[in-house]
Amino acid sequence: SPEGVKQAIVEALEGGWAIGATHEREVELAELVCARFASIDQVRFTNSGTEANLMAIGTALHHTGKSGIGVFDRGYHGGVLSFGPLGADGRPAESPLNVPHRFRVAPFNDPAGLDELFADDDLGCVLVELVQGSGGCRPADEAFIRELRARCDAADVVLIFDEVMTSRLAGGGAQERFGVTPDMTTLGKYLGGGMTFGAFGGSRAVMAGFDPAADGALTQAGTFNNNVVSMAAAIATLRNELAPDRLHDVNERGDRLRERLGSVIDASPLRDELSVTGLGSMLCLHATDDRLLELVFFGLMERGLSIARRGFMALSMSITDDDVGALVDGLAGVLDELTLSE
């Protein structure tokens, strides 16, 4: 809750908060987003990352004239775009709430698995997270992402990076950190300064479907897509809170935390039952037994330390080195207690 973001919201409210047309803050924010992300020539706003991914998929399929969508196991792109691990039959556990697109699910981080995916002549786009956030903070291998980029180029398939979470990993997002540029990018969450926020954008060629001057056939309705509160908060966040050097610092802190947590686990008798994964400020604890992860969660809670129940952690700007140290010490204490209780 940075004071600068709060003041920007209050100031915006003085001019009214239900404006049903394009306004100055929307234009200013669009310019900031396009300047920050190399893949985004043009951008449109939504109310959430889920909406952003849905709109990006629709835009990509319109651009290619195809209907197939490539995704990866354990990928999560919103409440209606969720894919579980691949089963013994090679098929994923798919959420019954998923929108009824024609999805092809490939194994994440497996270049060989791309063969079957790209055998589909009707493949229009591929949607991927460079670090699977809800999928357990599993980073993609750079070689895998480069191969995926090359396959999309060769087959005229639109490559979409879901950076709703991973845009925190560098000033220009995870795409800057990995050195790979997609055709489209989706954004959300923290870029809105804590307000409801989403965005999707990409090259002019892909986004041309929305251009009325070029007889674009696409429209995007949504009363609150450009609401003044989210626009004002996002502008203040991008201008004042998310400078590349500050993002670099919080991601380095996350890398150090992951290493220290890993050392605590390695020194414990439970080393074969626990692990930690992630990249930068995104990290996740894993256990071979869900009950063990529950015990760790509640053990940390007893010490005044709150992580997501599934083991997920994302460092914010307000997390300090002292906070990191407290979590490391807390995990060490919890593991000691669990070892003694066995």
Side-chain angles (χ1 to χ4, degrees), residues 309-321:
R309 197 160 179 167
R310 66 182 187 273
F312 175 78
M313 290 166 273
L315 275 68
S316 69
M317 294 292 184
S318 62
I319 297 293
T320 66
D321 287 334

Side-chain angles (χ1 to χ4, degrees), residues 9-77:
I9 293 170
V10 171
E11 180 181 335
L13 292 176
E14 293 298 327
W17 53 85
I19 300 174
T22 301
H23 54 87
E24 289 182 359
R25 287 185 176 87
E26 179 183 8
V27 176
E28 182 180 358
L29 179 56
E31 291 173 343
L32 289 171
V33 169
C34 290
R36 182 170 284 237
F37 297 97
S39 61
I40 301 180
D41 295 331
Q42 295 180 315
V43 67
R44 300 184 70 89
F45 299 115
T46 65
N47 293 287
S48 69
T50 300
E51 285 185 21
N53 281 318
L54 288 169
M55 292 301 300
I57 287 171
T59 303
L61 296 182
H62 170 80
H63 177 73
T64 59
K66 300 177 181 180
S67 66
I69 303 164
V71 292
F72 297 93
D73 70 307
R74 300 181 190 272
Y76 178 85
H77 306 285

